[in-house]
Amino acid sequence: MLSDSDVSLLTYDETLGSKHARKAKEAPFVPIGIAGFAAIVAYGLYRLKNRGNTKMSIHLICMRVGAQGFVVGAMTVGMLYSMFQEYWAKPKP
C-alpha cells in the first residue's frame, strides 16, 4: 500500500526537460533574459581582442552593465506582462 508521501512523489515526477518547458511557459521572459545575457557575454568575449585603447576594466564594466541591463529589462517586461495577464486580460465574471 502506498503512503501519502509515496503518492505525492508519484504525482510530481517530471523530467528536467518538462520542468523547464513548464517554467518557460509560466514565465516566458526568463529564458529570453538568460539568452540575452549569454549573447552579451559572448559578444563581450569576442570583442575583448579588438577593444583598442580601452582599458580591460572599462571594457568589462561596460559589458557587465549591458548584460545586467538586459536581464533587468527582461524581468521588467515579464512582470508587466504577467500583470497585464492577471488584471486586464482576465475576463470579468
Side-chain angles (χ1 to χ4, degrees):
M1 182 163 208
L2 294 174
S3 67
D4 288 336
S5 63
D6 292 337
V7 171
S8 66
L9 289 176
L10 290 175
T11 57
Y12 291 107
D13 187 28
E14 64 183 344
T15 64
L16 188 62
S18 65
K19 181 179 180 180
H20 287 304
R22 179 177 55 82
K23 292 284 188 177
K25 192 179 272 189
E26 290 173 2
F29 289 97
V30 171
I32 293 171
I34 292 171
F37 176 80
I40 291 173
V41 168
Y43 176 73
L45 290 174
Y46 172 74
R47 293 285 301 166
L48 194 59
K49 282 185 174 180
N50 303 326
R51 67 181 188 272
N53 291 335
T54 308
K55 285 184 168 181
M56 172 77 86
S57 61
I58 300 298
H59 176 74
L60 293 176
I61 288 171
C62 289
M63 290 298 113
R64 186 197 70 169
V65 168
Q68 284 179 334
F70 192 90
V71 170
V72 169
M75 288 172 40
T76 303
V77 170
M79 181 191 65
L80 292 172
Y81 176 75
S82 74
M83 285 175 58
F84 175 77
Q85 292 293 335
E86 182 77 22
Y87 296 111
W88 290 291
K90 212 179 220 184
K92 306 258 180 192

